């Protein structure tokens, strides 16, 4: 039995990794919006916080009505109840990773969770 799974993903507008990797504690997606595009809906979550990592480009997130500028290298954590929507810049696309995990579920991390 293997204790890992490796996949390669294509250059699609959105790739969800939960099924591809057999994830059991998180959802991870890779998202790309072309210049001037946006996620076509505002959403929140019941219990999952989201962590966004901007890989390329520029844009903004509107979170609870507040506009937050985004550029490559930025990381943003959004609480479950916050209403959010993402936009690419008018002249530049944006590519980002979204990691969803159940808020408050982290019991250990890094060396505290390691077995040596």
């Amino acid at each position: 039995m293997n204790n890992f799974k490796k996949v390669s993903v294509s250059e699609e507008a959105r790739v969800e990794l939960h099924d591809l990797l057999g994830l059991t504690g998180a959802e991870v997606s890779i998202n790309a919006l072309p210049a001037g595009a946006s996620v076509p809906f505002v959403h929140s979550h019941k219990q999952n916080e989201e962590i966004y990592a901007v890989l390329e480009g520029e844009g903004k997130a509107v979170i609870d009505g507040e506009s937050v500028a985004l550029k490559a290298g930025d990381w943003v954590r959004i609480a479950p109840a916050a209403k959010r929507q993402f936009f690419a810049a008018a002249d530049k696309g944006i590519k980002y990773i979204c990691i969803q995990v159940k808020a408050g579920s982290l019991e250990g991390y890094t060396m505290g969770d390691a077995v040596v």
Side-chain angles (χ1 to χ4, degrees):
M1 176 180 195
N2 288 333
N3 286 324
F4 69 94
K5 186 167 186 182
K6 177 188 173 197
V7 298
S8 293
V9 297
S10 60
E11 290 290 324
E12 296 178 40
R14 180 174 170 86
V15 176
E16 295 179 348
L17 297 176
H18 62 273
D19 288 338
L20 293 173
L21 288 174
L23 300 176
T24 64
E27 165 61 300
V28 179
S29 64
I30 305 164
N31 305 270
L33 295 171
S38 68
V39 172
F41 53 86
V42 176
H43 76 285
S44 61
H45 287 277
K46 295 175 187 170
Q47 53 185 343
N48 289 349
E49 66 186 5
E50 291 181 321
I51 302 100
Y52 291 88
V54 181
L55 303 175
E56 300 172 8
E58 295 177 10
K60 71 176 180 179
V62 176
I63 306 166
D64 287 339
E66 181 178 339
S67 183
V68 179
L70 298 172
K71 65 180 180 344
D74 287 346
W75 287 79
V76 180
R77 182 255 180 199
I78 303 177
K83 291 178 173 39
R84 72 222 55 189
Q85 186 176 18
F86 287 78
F87 301 81
D91 61 343
K92 195 177 288 190
I94 189 169
K95 184 174 185 178
Y96 57 91
I97 293 175
C98 177
I99 304 165
Q100 280 189 45
V101 293
K102 185 177 179 183
S105 66
L106 186 62
E107 294 179 1
Y109 54 92
T110 314
M111 289 308 294
D113 187 55
V115 178
V116 182

